[in-house]
């Protein structure tokens, strides 16, 4: 029995060696989509908004809340090789949520509520990127791209709860370092103007937060993660100009 396994393993190794020597042509051919020496510049943005009034969902009851998330990102780059560009971008994001009322019903008389809670955060990021393009077949209009980004961000946040004499507030300062990618699809509407759609994938993420509550109590939080996951809030639509 052992002899059969040895023979089978040797045969499998021989087949793998022959295949490696012969190679395999997948018929994948790179085509020129954006030539070397081209300058690019543009801006992408995203916006989301929600409003809830007496809304119910699972264990959440009587939800009365509103909020929004806004991002804008101008950028510029240079193609140092065919289909490959390097550049920089700025990113400004702003998030706001206002919870007038939220009841959490866990049953068996376990009910909690949140009232008069507000949170506001705005952050500025500076990024360096490397972008590569691949045409969709032989098309010179539609193509895919992937943008590898290294970003540093600084921001401030404020949350308040209660009203009048019961009002409490916490201010925080945020530092963030990220390494991620943003794959997307581009479509040229003219020879020099393209519309882009992309979504962010966060790879390495480091975040430091310093807090101060009621200008008296101080707090600190540090978090890190390594996981390429889709950020559903990072769907961006923008325009790019090529010169």
């Amino acid at each position: 029995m052992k002899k059969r396994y040895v023979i089978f393993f040797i045969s499998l190794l021989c087949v793998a060696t022959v295949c490696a020597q012969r190679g395999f042509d997948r018929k994948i051919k790179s085509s020129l989509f954006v030539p070397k020496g081209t300058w690019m510049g543009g801006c992408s943005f995203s916006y989301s908004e929600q409003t809830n009034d007496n809304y119910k969902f699972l264990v959440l009851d009587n939800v009365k809340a509103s909020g929004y998330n806004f991002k804008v990102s101008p950028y510029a780059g240079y193609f140092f090789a065919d289909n490959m560009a390097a550049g920089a971008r700025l990113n400004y994001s702003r998030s706001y949520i206002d919870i007038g009322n939220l009841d959490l019903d866990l049953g068996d008389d376990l009910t909690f509520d949140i009232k008069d809670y507000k949170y506001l955060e705005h952050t500025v990021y500076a990024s360096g990127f490397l972008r590569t393009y691949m045409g969709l077949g032989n098309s010179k209009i539609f193509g895919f791209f992937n943008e590898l980004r290294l970003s540093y961000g600084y921001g401030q946040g404020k949350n308040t709860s209660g009203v009048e004499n019961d009002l409490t507030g916490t201010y925080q300062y945020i530092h963030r370092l990220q390494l991620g990618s943003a794959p997307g699809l581009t479509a040229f509407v003219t020879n020099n103007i393209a519309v882009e759609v992309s979504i962010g994938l966060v790879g390495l993420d480091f975040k430091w937060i310093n807090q101060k509550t009621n200008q008296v109590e101080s707090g600190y939080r540090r978090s890190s993660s390594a996981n390429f996951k889709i950020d559903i809030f990072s769907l961006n639509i923008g325009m790019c100009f090529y010169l």
Side-chain angles (χ1 to χ4, degrees):
M1 184 66 67
K2 292 183 179 179
K3 186 176 180 180
R4 292 181 180 179
Y5 282 128
V6 172
I7 296 175
F8 175 76
F9 178 76
I10 294 175
S11 301
L12 197 63
L13 184 62
C14 292
V15 172
T17 303
V18 172
C19 290
Q21 292 176 347
R22 294 180 59 185
F24 183 75
D25 187 4
R26 298 183 181 277
K27 307 297 182 180
I28 298 177
K29 298 180 180 180
S30 60
S31 60
L32 179 62
F33 194 71
V34 181
K36 176 182 177 181
T38 302
W39 285 92
M40 63 180 293
C43 184
S44 61
F45 62 92
S46 64
Y47 179 78
S48 62
E49 181 180 3
Q50 60 175 319
T51 301
N52 304 278
D53 189 6
N54 196 26
Y55 180 71
K56 298 180 181 181
F57 180 73
L58 298 178
V59 297
L60 302 179
D61 192 13
N62 194 23
V63 179
K64 184 178 182 181
S66 61
Y68 63 83
N69 187 288
F70 170 75
K71 293 181 182 179
V72 60
S73 180
Y75 60 91
Y78 176 75
F79 283 82
F80 60 91
D82 292 342
N83 300 335
M84 297 185 67
R89 68 167 60 232
L90 293 175
N91 184 303
Y92 173 76
S93 64
R94 184 181 179 92
S95 301
Y96 176 74
I97 184 170
D98 182 355
I99 301 177
N101 186 82
L102 186 151
D103 295 333
L104 180 61
D105 188 0
L106 300 177
D108 296 331
D109 298 326
L110 292 176
T111 303
F112 305 92
D113 68 294
I114 299 175
K115 292 183 179 181
D116 302 315
Y117 176 86
K118 298 180 181 179
Y119 180 74
L120 173 65
E121 179 184 311
H122 56 92
T123 310
V124 177
Y125 290 90
S127 306
F129 69 82
L130 178 66
R131 181 182 283 203
T132 56
Y133 284 80
M134 182 179 67
L136 186 59
N138 294 323
S139 174
K140 300 296 183 180
I141 298 177
F142 299 97
F144 297 102
F145 69 85
N146 183 58
E147 185 175 304
L148 183 65
R149 300 175 183 172
L150 177 61
S151 307
Y152 168 76
Y154 171 78
Q156 297 180 1
K158 177 181 69 173
N159 67 72
T160 61
S161 61
V163 293
E164 298 180 353
N165 295 332
D166 295 328
L167 181 66
T168 60
T170 300
Y171 295 85
Q172 62 184 22
Y173 300 92
I174 306 166
H175 297 270
R176 197 166 191 177
L177 182 65
Q178 290 181 314
L179 176 63
S181 65
L185 176 66
T186 184
F188 279 86
V189 294
T190 70
N191 287 331
N192 302 101
I193 301 176
V195 177
E196 297 180 349
V197 179
S198 65
I199 189 167
L201 300 174
V202 179
L204 300 177
D205 187 7
F206 304 91
K207 193 174 185 178
W208 300 267
I209 300 176
N210 291 294
Q211 289 184 335
K212 180 162 288 189
T213 303
N214 296 332
Q215 299 299 325
V216 177
E217 301 176 1
S218 297
Y220 174 76
R221 179 175 182 265
R222 181 181 68 86
S223 64
S224 61
S225 64
N227 183 19
F228 280 90
K229 58 184 179 181
I230 297 177
D231 183 0
I232 61 175
F233 296 105
S234 66
L235 180 64
N236 298 291
I237 301 175
M239 296 190 66
C240 187
F241 301 88
Y242 297 82
L243 302 174

